[in-house]
Amino acid sequence: DLVAQVIPIVCAKFPHVNFIIGGDGDKRLMLDEMRERHQLHDRVELLGSVPHTEVRSVLCRGSIFLNCSLTEAFCISILEAACCGLYVVSTRVGGIPEVLPPDMIGFAEEVSAGAVAAALERAIVAGKGQHEDPFDLHERVRDMYSWQQVAEEVTSVYDQVVARPRQTFTARLDKCWAVGPIAGIMGMFLVTVDLMVLWLLRLIRPDEEVDRAPEIALPLSKRSGGVGYSKQGTS
């Protein structure tokens, strides 16, 4: 919805700016109607579904990538755009502010068509995406993310959880009761049922019969600053 509202605003202010939109879905009709209503056929290109093998070629045609997500956990698309040398303009929702450094992305002050259009206008006036070296941006993004780094961060979360002292059944009931007399009783009931199900599962299949992942020696990545090997094991 935001894209269909933002495009006419920006096109009216910047005659030299064109839009390339890839993808298909239930919003396609809205975009078609917007293009027809504002007579933007020569400035808004609707590609429809784009094969994965062609995504890079489409991204490399642009200078700025506009993301109008209303909710998003990570948004891999802005990472792909930055890898291709595009400057990103986005709504500030979910985990998006944590994905890229400030010099690679600009945010709308709020989730509205006016705010998104204003953020895009600032990027256009500043010449974002025009002078950056795409190879340099690609190298920077590549150094930010890797499966080795993701695996290490996930493992560190598990290690923190395992290191925490286990709460007793009574302590869990006390926490539930602290919520309130009604919600607390419901919570206590659910915790009790959960424990009973766990006992039942242990009777059906004792802990000794559960397969455990072997401990293996993993090399520490250069990004973690470690030297040597880290012994990790999960069950």
Side-chain angles (χ1 to χ4, degrees), residues 74-93:
F74 182 79
C75 193
I76 191 69
S77 60
I78 67 173
L79 204 61
E80 294 173 338
C83 276
C84 293
L86 278 70
Y87 181 78
V88 177
V89 173
S90 174
T91 47
R92 191 188 294 272
V93 296

Side-chain angles (χ1 to χ4, degrees), residues 144 148-158:
M144 292 177 197
Q148 175 72 21
Q149 185 179 10
V150 170
E152 290 176 359
E153 292 178 356
V154 171
T155 302
S156 68
V157 173
Y158 280 113

Side-chain angles (χ1 to χ4, degrees), residues 9 18 24 38 84 141 169 180 186:
I9 298 174
N18 299 321
D24 216 339
H38 296 278
C84 293
V141 174
F169 178 67
M186 294 176 61

Side-chain angles (χ1 to χ4, degrees), residues 59-127:
L59 288 172
C60 288
R61 293 175 59 189
S63 301
I64 298 175
F65 182 84
L66 178 62
N67 175 59
C68 293
S69 297
L70 300 180
T71 177
E72 196 80 63
F74 182 79
C75 193
I76 191 69
S77 60
I78 67 173
L79 204 61
E80 294 173 338
C83 276
C84 293
L86 278 70
Y87 181 78
V88 177
V89 173
S90 174
T91 47
R92 191 188 294 272
V93 296
I96 292 179
E98 303 176 13
V99 177
L100 293 171
D103 64 311
M104 290 187 180
I105 187 170
F107 293 102
E109 296 180 357
E110 60 182 25
V111 183
S112 68
V116 174
L120 185 54
E121 290 171 18
R122 290 194 296 270
I124 295 171
V125 171

Side-chain angles (χ1 to χ4, degrees), residues 136-152:
D136 177 62
L137 292 178
H138 182 276
E139 292 297 314
R140 289 179 60 190
V141 174
R142 187 184 66 174
D143 290 339
M144 292 177 197
Y145 296 96
S146 71
W147 285 117
Q148 175 72 21
Q149 185 179 10
V150 170
E152 290 176 359

